[in-house]
Amino acid sequence: MPVGGAQDHVRALGERLRGSVQAPGGADWEEECSAFNLAAVPHPQLLVCAADRDDVAEAVRYAGEQGLPVGVLSTGHGCALGPTTIDRGLLISTRRMQELRLDPERHSVTVGPGVTWKQVMEAAAPYGLAALCGSSSGVGVTGFCLGGGLPVLGRAFGFAADHVEELEVVTGDGEVRRVDREHNPDLFWGLRGGKGNLGVVTSLTISLPQVASVYGGCIFYGQDHIAEVLRAFPAWASTLGTDSAGSVAVLRLPPLPQLPEPLRGQTVVQLRFCHLGEDAEGARLLEPMRGLAPALIDGVQRIPYSALDSVHMDPDSPLPYEERGGLLRELPPEAVEALLGVVGPEQRVPILVCELRLLGGELSREPEGGNAIGARDAAFTVFAVGVLTPETAPGLAASLDAVVEAVRPWSTGHTFANFHGQPGDAADRARAWTPDNYQRLRALAQRYDPEGLFRFGLSVRD
């Protein structure tokens, strides 16, 4: 802590804010510091609950004056700057910044950093507009876009960050800056995919495509069919056009009463599918996988876009977990066999989900002027996550590492920022971008945050 006691800093900073500030031990400290990942508990010296952009700017200026590093706790599934490593300094919570302005005529929405995709989805649905969310609409819009944002329908529309039109950001000097193609274009490049290295985003405007409904959902197959479904997936995925999305996951499900009986406590394989065209065309594309084995549950049907969460069925309650991710340039049979050797039905591993997602299509094409996303040359993502319990914790890290190691021969050598997992040293963090993009982000961070206030999480600083 800087010179002076914690309460002195609470009083000094509190006088400059519309929101609130507190030190450890405050009445709402644990609740205010909590993240979706219950294993990612930040331990800052001061917590600012910002009411608006001016509070964010004041907090950043104060941190600079006092020599405190800055972390950001946003909303939904994560923290824009990585809560697992915020063990000192000043933490800014932006959850109360709930601005949401939909412009149906321009097909766009402007949101504050406390807004989730679910809120956008509910506001946009009456106009037939689609929120470019990923597998869960409970994720915050801003953090999702800062890391690039992989939508379920990314093959048709590209990354969410490709659709960001304007941002407002507080940089390391405490200045509020407008950012778009004409204003601070270097920041416009870096904020879209550069994660949280360049400042605290206080407002974001993103365009929304016109999609009212999709043919989509998921199919669950039993344990005996895991190998054949995974083996068939790459060839089937190669038949899909850009209007279709596909992914597959091996799930080791706990015996929870809220799960359907055929899945409760079972190891299964889940095929996810989403198609923008007509039902008949979608059914024809899906038929090779649908007819591969008897389904425990087949939920693929015409659904409103607002029901997109049913495609992946991600958990919506906070959990303590650990994860790993990577990018694959190809998925040959040898890669599938290597993966089955780690997470196949005969293996006993504490991994809740191990998935492969098809990339390509519009995800491989840079928007005009480009941005910091470095995953455009990948054909698939690989991602694994496990819940930390007393039983699983001792072996979970090694099991997750084994997934990444198994497919290393087919890896691009990089990760997708939002699926990177726990940030390691500088060399590990650099894998979230191409070498050129990483160096460009480092130069931008030095320019807009010369004191290195934003150094937590997936930082580009050594």
Side-chain angles (χ1 to χ4, degrees), residues 67-81:
L68 292 168
V70 175
V72 180
L73 186 64
S74 53
T75 193
H77 279 206
C79 169
L81 300 185

Side-chain angles (χ1 to χ4, degrees), residues 1 6-7 9-11 13-14 17 19-33 44-49 89-91 93 96:
M1 176 68 68
Q7 292 307 316
H9 291 281
V10 168
R11 284 191 292 272
L13 181 53
L17 304 176
S20 63
V21 59
Q22 58 177 291
D28 302 320
W29 180 264
E30 290 188 8
E31 180 180 354
E32 293 288 353
C33 286
Q45 295 160 280
L46 292 173
L47 170 68
V48 169
C49 298
L90 186 151
L91 179 63
S93 171
R96 289 166 175 77

Side-chain angles (χ1 to χ4, degrees), residues 257-457:
Q258 59 264 42
L259 291 173
E261 192 278 329
L263 308 181
R264 197 175 303 144
Q266 301 298 309
T267 297
V268 299
V269 59
Q270 178 193 26
L271 179 72
R272 297 83 162 252
F273 180 68
C274 195
H275 181 65
L276 280 173
E278 297 297 323
D279 293 12
E281 175 66 7
R284 184 190 67 78
L285 290 168
L286 186 57
E287 181 54 34
M289 298 298 286
R290 211 171 218 163
L292 194 65
L296 297 174
I297 297 175
D298 186 336
V300 182
Q301 59 188 318
R302 174 63 49 177
I303 57 173
Y305 190 87
S306 57
L308 199 67
D309 283 352
S310 65
V311 174
H312 282 248
M313 298 179 65
D314 282 1
D316 58 5
S317 299
L319 295 165
Y321 59 88
E322 190 170 345
E323 61 191 19
R324 301 285 190 279
L327 297 171
L328 305 180
R329 65 178 185 275
E330 58 181 341
L331 188 63
E334 297 84 358
V336 174
E337 295 305 317
L339 202 58
L340 284 169
V342 177
V343 299
E346 299 83 11
Q347 309 303 318
R348 297 291 178 265
V349 290
I351 295 176
L352 176 65
V353 180
C354 180
E355 70 165 30
L356 296 162
R357 296 193 197 187
L358 176 65
L359 300 180
E362 290 301 315
L363 295 166
S364 64
R365 300 182 180 93
E366 283 204 6
E368 182 182 354
N371 55 35
I373 295 171
R376 299 192 187 274
D377 60 343
F380 295 88
T381 64
V382 60
F383 179 74
V385 61
V387 178
L388 289 161
T389 68
E391 294 75 28
T392 63
L396 180 56
S399 293
L400 295 172
D401 289 340
V403 169
V404 175
E405 188 60 33
V407 294
R408 187 177 299 280
W410 304 278
S411 169
T412 66
H414 296 284
T415 66
F416 179 55
N418 282 348
F419 289 169
H420 184 86
Q422 175 66 27
D425 60 15
D428 172 73
R429 299 192 303 272
R431 295 186 305 119
W433 301 278
T434 65
D436 287 347
N437 286 2
Y438 179 67
Q439 292 304 325
R440 189 171 173 182
L441 284 171
R442 284 173 59 88
L444 285 173
Q446 183 62 41
R447 177 178 178 183
Y448 288 100
D449 181 25
E451 300 303 317
L453 296 184
F454 306 119
R455 67 185 73 161
F456 295 120

